[in-house]
Amino acid sequence: MILSPSLLSADFSCLAEELAALEAAGVTWLHLDVMDGAFVPNITFGPPLIKALRPHSGLFFDVHLMVEEPARYLRDFKEAGADLLVIHAEADRHAQRTLTEIRKLGLKAGLALNPGTDLSAARWLAPDLDLLLLMSVNPGFSGQAFIPQTYEKIRAARALLAEAGAAGALVQVDGGACPENAAALLDAGADVLVSGSAFFGHKPYDARLAAFMKAAEGRAVRPGLRAARAWRHAASNANP
Ligand code: DX5
Ligand code: ZN
């Protein structure tokens, strides 16, 4: 399992310190929720903030774009220092093209599905994916309740990816994850758990990370997950 804490729940008055504390605790990924006030009913931040944080952190920047027509901004996010760009299927009529463009920029490419979006939206994009993000809350806010039918969707996603010849792609779950449901999420087939409110509200971070990682103890590591654990921030991303 990889835990990707969501910056949205961090203390915005001291983000550089927060990032340093995450790295010191052994966290490897950071989930950055970009919201445009159009695709979702909330506005957060964009490339300038990510660019400002980049020199302060070696974390792998997992950037979740809750943005209409995300293809307009791919280069901006690459230049800001993103490592993985995740677009929403519902926000892009030409997702296959956008995913291809993301990979051409040298970044990892992901597709996100809202809770109500059928997995069939990912079927013919599977070869273009490094990661499939299943929303387990309706996107827009942290601190919402986990939607339980997500467990079945995760199982179906794993089967779909295997059938499509994309078994190496990661399944990420975003929304309402916590140490209490982490084992069930991993049982269903999740590889990457995003956590906002259930992570940042609980210091020290090393103990909180351990509470999540306990769910992964004794489990076989899928080859795709093993490969992803070696993904690192490539400093060259920031200087195209
Ligand atoms: C919701 C965001 C999530 C959110 C997760 O739209 O995409 O990443 O920050 O927060 P929690 O873990 O509190 O549900
Ligand atoms: Zn997110």
Side-chain angles (χ1 to χ4, degrees):
M1 187 242 275
I2 292 171
L3 184 75
S4 193
S6 167
L7 186 74
L8 205 49
S9 295
D11 182 346
F12 272 37
S13 72
C14 56
L15 289 177
E17 286 91 334
E18 287 277 58
L19 266 53
L22 291 177
E23 271 186 272
V27 166
T28 54
W29 283 33
L30 182 70
H31 186 83
L32 297 121
D33 287 306
V34 177
M35 304 187 188
D36 67 353
F39 179 65
V40 287
N42 195 6
I43 299 174
T44 54
F45 51 80
L49 181 98
I50 297 174
K51 192 172 190 167
L53 294 179
R54 189 69 274 183
H56 295 277
S57 174
L59 294 168
F60 182 81
F61 279 7
D62 154 23
V63 179
H64 179 191
L65 298 175
M66 284 160 276
V67 169
E68 293 287 357
E69 296 184 43
R72 296 176 288 170
Y73 307 110
L74 303 182
R75 191 161 283 281
D76 292 343
F77 282 104
K78 178 193 161 99
E79 289 174 8
D83 297 301
L84 161 68
L85 289 180
V86 182
I87 60 162
H88 265 265
E90 306 84 359
D92 191 339
R93 281 195 198 86
H94 304 291
Q96 200 281 334
R97 179 163 62 206
T98 308
L99 292 164
T100 305
E101 290 295 320
I102 293 170
R103 281 182 160 178
K104 267 199 221 151
L105 288 170
L107 306 179
K108 301 293 182 194
L111 183 76
L113 304 180
N114 281 339
T117 302
D118 193 75
L119 283 173
S120 58
R123 171 61 185 90
W124 302 107
L125 301 173
D128 306 302
L129 299 182
D130 297 301
L131 177 146
L132 177 62
L133 188 170
L134 301 180
M135 288 305 307
S136 40
V137 297
N138 289 292
F141 305 93
S142 51
Q144 304 181 80
F146 179 84
I147 298 173
Q149 55 267 43
T150 310
Y151 292 119
E152 193 181 336
K153 197 172 183 184
I154 298 167
R155 279 190 287 274
R158 275 260 77 92
L160 181 148
L161 290 169
E163 197 179 318
L170 302 177
V171 173
Q172 182 180 53
V173 179
D174 185 7
C178 57
E180 291 71 28
N181 63 16
L185 291 168
L186 300 190
D187 283 343
D191 298 303
V192 184
L193 303 187
V194 174
S195 176
S197 52
F199 184 86
F200 280 96
H202 304 78
K203 285 187 176 172
Y205 294 152
D206 56 351
R208 199 56 176 169
L209 175 64
F212 275 94
M213 295 310 289
K214 202 167 167 29
E217 269 171 22
R219 281 172 201 274
V221 180
R222 291 190 324 101
L225 177 57
R226 183 169 301 117
R229 280 181 176 168
W231 294 354
R232 292 281 179 275
H233 171 61
S236 59
N237 282 351
N239 304 300

